[in-house]
Structure formats: structure tokens, C-alpha cells
Amino acid sequence: MRRTFFELGSLAGLVIIAAVLSQLFFPNRISFFTKYVETEGADGSKLIPAILLNSIHNSNSQPASSDLENIPPENPATISTGDVYELFQGKSAIIIDARDLEAYESGHITGAWNIPYHKFLDRLELLDPLPLDTLIITYCDGEDCNASIELANALVSMGFSNIRYYFGGWNAWLKDNYPITSGSAQ
Amino acid sequence: MKLPPILNHLFRILLGGIFIYASLDKIWEPGLFAKAIYNYRLLPDLLLHPVAILLPWLELITGIMLLANFFPKTSALVQLILISVFTLAIITAISRGLDIQCGCFSLDASGTRATWWKVGENLLLIALAAVVVMQTRLGMHYSLAQSADHSD
């Protein structure tokens, strides 16, 4: 038993040393402590781990003070239910449902497209005609899913510059009795 | 029951190799691994980064230890515990209806999903790790000890 504890301790020591060294030298390192960003949830603002977003929040390095005014606006950025509804009424944004086809067909925000995040690459042709500065809102079920954030990240990496993720999502939209449709995908 | 030494070596090397392979993507992309852990909704957010940083190194180091035949029993025991925890996490994810990426080997968006098929694969790995644990001894002289046992 003592031998087992000795070996476990040795393994733990090696793991800690290797992890610390990796944090010093690896290019893709993350901070040891979880960072958070404020996000519009169904019931007001909520903190989520910043690692979910491909944004300046994840960077370990701080921008030089002279560059501060040049930091681009957050992309993707969070958006509240009220703002989504306003854009929906003005038809001034493309709304994308990141859930799977079955969930989409059982009910979605009226006019929303369906691009399930994990089948994202199969539906790229839908995005081809869109200019890169198109305002796009992604959503999924709500605070218990993050397909909306993942899809938003993927769109940003494709070069889209005006992406919003609607973290309150389908549940928040339903709660406020905003227009919904059921049926097949576009 | 004692297995022939050649099978013991084969199983130990196979298990070590699988864990080394599984750790590489996670070590290189701890951010993506933290996301994969987050998707399971089991850990408090506070622990996401520490676990995403430490766990892949534990996989790599126990894998190397198994290949090098150094602390083989303890390394295999740690891996047995890890795979069991991962399998339970996948089962709870499926039972909660989460359609998420497994985060087991590849961290790409198109990587393996957390499915019953994955649970089946993990059960095979659990069996493999259990055999290695049962067939090895503590310490660093496993092969000599095993060979001596079999020559008796």
C-alpha cells in the first residue's frame, strides 16, 4: 500500500511539473484559472466561461496600452431576447438555428435557417451568398446548450464580422411568446 | 490466472499507446478540451481550466510509464479509474439527452460523439486496463519479476 502511494505521489508530481512547464512554453496555453464573460441569458446577465468564445477574452497576453483603442468590437457578441426581437421585426438579421433538424422541425423562430453546428460543413452553401458583414444571430435551446456559441465561433473563423449568439435561445424566445413556426428546413 | 508474458507486454503497450495518443490533441489544445469538458455539464466552471490542463498530462505520463514498464500497476490502475469516470460521464450525457462531442481522442467539431457505441469502446478499454492491473506488480521491475514467475 505504501508503495502504491509512493508511486501515485510520483505520478502526481510529474504531472504537475509537466503541466506547469506546458503553461510556460506552449503557444495554445490557457490560464490556470477559469475566466468568465458576461452574457445575456434568459433571465438577465449571466457569467459563462470565456473559453467558450474565440474572442479577445481568451488571450493570455494583454494588448499594449497604445493599441487599446484599436481593439475590434466583440465578435461574436452576446445579444438579449429584446434585441433579437427588434432585429427580427426589422428583418435586419439572419437568424440561424444551430440545433439538429428534428428540434428545428418541431419548432423554431419564424424565418430562422437551420444549420446544426455539428453538421455545419454540410450546409456551407447556405452561407456562400452572404456578404461577410451580414448581421447573423445564432441560437440553440438556451443556457443548457452551447451549439449557438460554437456556430458563432465557426462563422467568425470563416470571416463573418457581425455575429451575435443568442444565449437565451429557444427557451427564452418561447417564454416571451414571440413568433414561432414548425416544419421543414430551408 | 497468469497470462503468457508476451500477452502481458502486448496489453500493457497497447493500453499505454492508446493513452498517449488520446492525450496529444488535448495537451496541444487545452482550450478545446476545456470546452469539451464544459459540454458535459458535470464540473463546476471553476475547475474547467485546471482539469483541462492536468488531465491530459496524467494520460500522457501514465501512458509513457506503461510503455517504459515503470510503475506499470499504478499507471494502469490510474488509467482504469480514468476510463471508468469518462465512461460514466458519457453515460450520464446520453441519459440527459446531450448531443455532444466525446472529447476522447480528437477535439475537432467533427470528432466522435458521446454515444452508446463509444461506451462500448470504453468498456473494452476498461477490460484491457483491468487485465493489465491484475497481471502486473508494483514497482519498476515488472518484466523481470514476470519472467522469473513463469520460469519457476
Side-chain angles (χ1 to χ4, degrees):
Chain A
M1 186 59 86
R2 270 175 68 183
R3 176 92 207 185
T4 307
F5 280 119
F6 167 74
E7 292 187 5
L8 280 174
S10 305
L11 285 175
L14 282 172
V15 166
I16 290 169
I17 291 168
V20 168
L21 288 177
S22 75
Q23 287 306 288
L24 294 177
F25 300 113
F26 273 36
N28 298 329
R29 62 188 180 270
I30 55 175
S31 66
F32 194 77
F33 298 103
T34 308
K35 295 177 184 173
Y36 298 89
V37 286
E38 200 165 343
T39 298
E40 294 286 349
D43 304 309
S45 65
K46 182 183 163 74
L47 292 176
I48 61 169
I51 202 71
L52 298 177
L53 297 165
N54 295 338
S55 72
I56 54 170
H57 299 286
N58 288 330
S59 172
N60 270 338
S61 55
Q62 295 295 318
S65 55
S66 57
D67 291 340
L68 282 177
E69 66 265 26
N70 297 326
I71 293 177
E74 260 182 68
N75 190 38
T78 182
I79 188 167
S80 67
T81 306
D83 289 343
V84 175
Y85 184 59
E86 205 171 289
L87 293 166
F88 166 85
Q89 281 186 309
K91 296 191 173 157
S92 38
I94 302 283
I95 302 178
I96 299 180
D97 187 324
R99 301 173 302 162
D100 60 25
L101 181 62
E102 195 182 336
Y104 174 85
E105 287 187 338
S106 67
H108 55 265
I109 295 177
T110 301
W113 300 3
N114 180 224
I115 304 183
Y117 168 62
H118 62 269
K119 291 179 185 159
F120 169 62
L121 295 175
D122 299 338
R123 307 217 66 195
L124 283 181
E125 79 281 358
L126 275 177
L127 303 167
D128 280 344
L130 299 179
L132 289 177
D133 61 350
T134 308
L135 178 56
I136 298 177
I137 301 168
T138 62
Y139 75 92
C140 54
D141 278 331
E143 293 177 12
D144 287 338
C145 74
N146 56 331
S148 59
I149 299 178
E150 297 285 14
L151 182 59
N153 284 332
L155 293 172
V156 169
S157 7
M158 282 178 67
F160 285 97
S161 59
N162 215 354
I163 304 296
R164 306 281 180 275
Y165 62 93
Y166 174 27
F167 194 57
W170 176 241
N171 295 334
W173 189 262
L174 273 185
K175 193 175 144 202
D176 286 350
N177 289 316
Y178 287 142
I180 61 168
T181 307
S182 51
S184 63
Q186 297 218 350
Chain B
M1 190 184 98
K2 287 270 180 204
L3 291 175
I6 184 74
L7 267 187
N8 286 341
H9 286 301
L10 194 69
F11 287 162
R12 175 178 55 76
I13 289 168
L14 180 65
L15 184 66
I18 290 172
F19 264 74
I20 290 173
Y21 174 65
S23 69
L24 297 179
D25 221 13
K26 300 171 195 166
I27 286 174
W28 192 246
E29 292 284 2
L32 290 183
F33 185 46
K35 274 190 204 178
I37 299 172
Y38 173 84
N39 288 341
Y40 280 93
R41 314 281 167 154
L42 289 172
L43 276 186
D45 293 346
L46 195 68
L47 293 179
L48 282 181
H49 285 210
V51 172
I53 292 169
L54 292 170
L55 193 61
W57 283 106
L58 184 59
E59 290 181 342
L60 181 72
I61 286 171
T62 53
I64 292 172
M65 290 295 190
L66 271 185
L67 285 194
N69 214 356
F70 203 80
F71 301 168
K73 192 180 186 80
T74 307
S75 298
L77 186 65
V78 169
Q79 294 186 346
L80 177 63
I81 294 168
L82 286 179
I83 312 166
S84 306
V85 172
F86 297 159
T87 308
L88 282 177
I90 295 173
I91 291 172
T92 64
I94 298 170
S95 62
R96 284 175 292 149
L98 298 179
D99 177 21
I100 57 172
Q101 189 200 343
C102 168
C104 308
F105 291 98
S106 165
L107 297 171
D108 290 344
S110 54
T112 319
R113 318 294 300 169
T115 58
W116 288 115
W117 181 252
K118 193 69 217 172
V119 172
E121 273 179 35
N122 276 14
L123 289 177
L124 286 178
L125 271 181
I126 287 174
L128 179 65
V131 168
V132 176
V133 170
M134 285 187 293
Q135 296 290 322
T136 50
R137 292 181 165 186
L138 284 173
M140 58 193 80
H141 301 297
Y142 158 78
S143 6
L144 293 175
Q146 283 291 101
S147 305
D149 276 355
H150 282 272
S151 60
D152 286 344

